Amino acid sequence: MAITVRIPTPLRRVTDGQDRVNADGATLKEIIDSMEGQYPGIRERICDPDGNLRNFVNVYVNGEDVRFMDGIDSATGDGDEVSIVPAVAGGL
């Protein structure tokens, strides 16, 4: 399964400057594992030591926030697009 993953600017140093990468997997966890095989060190920037998504990283599958799906176990399919978006902090 070919999944396109959109990489935010802060993570592009891990992906050799690429803003999109291809990964394989039927779940978001498998996608992250696939990316880790291609770009060592990317998993630790997305996931905490327990393997859960970090609080300051938002992930979307086809525009749907995985926090409202099955989190790291959210299903992915051929042709899907995963977006990794660092959370923006701030206030008034």
Side-chain angles (χ1 to χ4, degrees):
M1 264 189 271
I3 310 293
T4 301
V5 182
R6 296 180 59 155
I7 305 296
T9 303
L11 290 181
R12 291 181 191 161
R13 65 179 174 266
V14 180
T15 61
D16 302 321
Q18 296 181 77
D19 64 345
R20 292 172 191 259
V21 299
N22 291 321
D24 296 313
T27 65
L28 181 57
K29 181 185 183 318
E30 291 177 10
I31 296 296
I32 293 169
D33 290 345
S34 174
M35 288 192 309
E36 179 68 18
Q38 299 174 68
Y39 307 103
I42 198 164
R43 181 188 297 119
E44 69 188 35
R45 289 167 173 82
I46 299 170
C47 298
D48 65 20
D50 294 326
N52 298 308
L53 293 173
R54 293 189 179 275
N55 290 336
F56 57 83
V57 176
N58 298 319
V59 181
Y60 301 85
V61 175
N62 298 323
E64 295 289 324
D65 190 333
V66 299
R67 290 178 294 186
F68 302 107
M69 297 169 63
D70 293 320
I72 200 157
D73 296 315
S74 296
T76 57
D78 195 36
D80 282 356
E81 182 175 87
V82 172
S83 298
I84 302 169
V85 181
V88 177
L92 299 174

